[in-house]
Every structure is written in C-alpha cells, then in structure tokens.
Amino acid sequence: MSKHARARSRPARPARTNRRAARRAALAATLGLVTFTAGWVYVAQDPDRAAGAAQASTDSRPQPVDRVARDIPRSPTQGLTGISEQTRARIPAESRQLILVTGRAVDSSESTAALYTRPRAGADWVKAESWPARNGARGWSTERTYGDLTSPQGVFALTDAGGLLSPPPGTRLPYDEDRGFVATGRGVNGESLVGSFDYVVAIDFNRRPGRSPLDPVKPDGEDRGGNIWLHVDHDGPSQGCVGIPKEAMRKVLETLDPAAKPVIVMGPEGF
C-alpha cells in the first residue's frame, strides 16, 4: 500500500469532533440535572414560599358561582327598609316579586308603594319603581273588620287580576275583564270613583286565590270584610284597598308574573 493510500485510510477528524460533542452534551445534561436538583433542594428548604405559591395558584383558579354568591355580604335588611325583621321573615322564600306599601303612620291614609324584584330566591331585593299611594281612611289594622275603614296589615299573595279595561300588553296574571268592575257611589271624602277599577289586582286577604277579584266568597267570614284590591287611585282614602296612579297599575300588571310568586307587604312604617 502506498504512503498516500495509508494517509487516505486514517480515521476522519469529524469522528473525534463527534466524540467531543457527545462529551459536552453529557456534561450539559449533568449540569441540567444538578440545576434541577438544586432547585428541588431549594424549594424543600423554603416551605413557606412553597406554600405561598401553592395558595396563589389555588386562589387564581375560577371560583364556583355558588361560592362567590355565598361570599358576598348580605344586607341586614335584605334590601327592604321600613319594615321589621318579623315582617321580613314572613315573606315567602320563593317570592321574587314584591310590592311594599309603607304607611306614614298607623292611623294615616297616606303611604308609598314600591315595586321590588330579586334575581333568585334568597337574594336581596332591588327597588324598581315607587309611587305615592292611598290606603284605608283610618289607617291600618291587624284585626280588620268590615266597615272599620282600615287596610289589613301583613304579607299577602297577589294571584289574580281584572278590570273594566282590557289587560295591558304582557299581563301574565289571570285577568278577568268584566263590566262588573264599575265603582258606584263616591269615595270616603266624597270624591268620584270613576276609573278606580279600570285595573285591579286582588290582594289575597279573606278571599279564595285562583278566582276573579269579583268572587264574593269570604273564607274567614263576612265580619272581616273582603274585596281588598290594589287599584287605580281616586285621589282620596279608601275603605280598605290600596290605590296607586293608573300608569303605576299598568306597570304592575305588565311586570307581575305568577311564576315569581308575587306578594304585597303592607302596613305602617316599621311594622
């Protein structure tokens, strides 16, 4: 074999270069392992920092909606002012619509009516609108009797409606359009009653729910009176009903929904 042939048969230099590259890769891998191990040892030596990082990670996760709702502080009045804790406790838990009628005093016929709603059972109430209102000429009573000119005080369901006029668009309460809703005579102060019963929502005091407001039956007896309605105000005190402006009655009829279990809470301030 010639000298030149032997020179050509020597191992190529790139092989040595590859071995060096392999050694460097192995060293880098080792250093990487050491770095990882050092990091692991460091975390183990600082448990407070590790715990803080874990807590931060947990706190950054989206919280369930029900937990968020529970964590929101509730108003001690549940959004309703002017009534006692005992009265608030009587409001059905499933109700999501409410009309609050607050009288100026136990013997006053002047009051304020406000419409409240809430998004779900148990949530705080939110006021939607309020209007001036009238109630019984002699104020309020928890033991109302026929002819005493007081309005019944308490919490009552609102289940049925009616009136001389056709129901406003969107009315969802059962509505009895009847010529029988014609007010006769005059009010307590001699004012005209024309138009008072254009729109009516029956207040479930001494009546059978699920029937026209004109239903004459009084389950608790005639002595307690009945036909207590929320109706159009006639610019004077009533014999026991609650009167609000005509546009307010339209708003009530457009809003109340049987599925929301609407109620009326009515009485003097602080009852």
Side-chain angles (χ1 to χ4, degrees):
M1 182 180 293
S2 69
K3 178 178 178 180
H4 295 290
R6 286 198 300 270
R8 286 196 297 271
S9 65
R10 291 174 184 172
R13 288 177 181 253
R16 182 180 299 175
T17 302
N18 289 342
R19 288 196 295 272
R20 289 175 180 173
R23 285 198 297 271
R24 284 197 297 269
L27 178 60
T30 302
L31 290 175
L33 177 60
V34 171
T35 302
F36 171 79
T37 305
W40 180 85
V41 171
Y42 174 75
V43 172
Q45 290 176 342
D46 194 354
D48 291 339
R49 180 170 178 176
Q55 182 63 43
S57 175
T58 300
D59 292 344
S60 66
R61 298 172 187 167
Q63 298 297 313
V65 174
D66 58 346
R67 177 178 173 181
V68 173
R70 289 196 303 269
D71 290 344
I72 297 175
R74 293 200 61 195
S75 163
T77 64
Q78 299 176 26
L80 299 175
T81 59
I83 61 175
S84 67
E85 183 178 346
Q86 290 77 12
T87 299
R88 280 193 294 273
R90 294 180 57 194
I91 299 171
E94 66 273 17
S95 293
R96 292 182 284 110
Q97 292 179 332
L98 179 150
I99 296 175
L100 175 61
V101 182
T102 309
R104 288 191 177 182
V106 69
D107 58 353
S108 173
S109 65
E110 297 184 2
S111 51
T112 299
L115 174 64
Y116 286 81
T117 64
R118 59 181 175 182
R120 64 187 181 282
D124 285 347
W125 294 96
V126 178
K127 183 189 291 188
E129 293 190 45
S130 64
W131 314 279
R134 302 270 193 158
N135 52 274
R138 294 182 180 173
W140 304 90
S141 175
T142 57
E143 300 294 335
R144 183 183 189 276
T145 58
Y146 176 74
D148 68 3
L149 300 183
T150 66
S151 293
Q153 174 181 317
V155 179
F156 308 99
L158 300 173
T159 55
D160 304 283
L164 184 65
L165 303 181
S166 299
T171 298
R172 283 166 285 188
L173 288 177
Y175 190 94
D176 179 25
E177 182 180 354
D178 195 298
R179 299 301 301 176
F181 289 101
V182 176
T184 59
R186 306 191 75 81
V188 174
N189 290 344
E191 72 277 12
S192 171
L193 299 179
V194 173
S196 298
F197 304 152
D198 283 353
Y199 300 121
V200 163
V201 176
I203 296 171
D204 284 358
F205 167 82
N206 198 19
R207 70 177 299 269
R208 299 183 297 175
R211 293 167 174 79
S212 167
L214 294 171
D215 179 40
V217 176
K218 300 175 179 59
D220 296 330
E222 296 288 335
D223 290 345
R224 297 201 67 191
N227 299 113
I228 305 298
W229 299 341
L230 182 67
H231 62 62
V232 178
D233 179 34
H234 46 75
D235 296 323
S238 72
Q239 296 188 31
C241 297
V242 174
I244 59 177
K246 188 170 185 175
E247 285 308 307
M249 278 300 304
R250 289 180 60 89
K251 176 67 175 182
V252 166
L253 286 168
E254 290 167 357
T255 303
L256 295 187
D257 182 357
K261 307 294 183 184
V263 296
I264 186 167
V265 181
M266 47 195 270
E269 178 79 26
F271 76 103

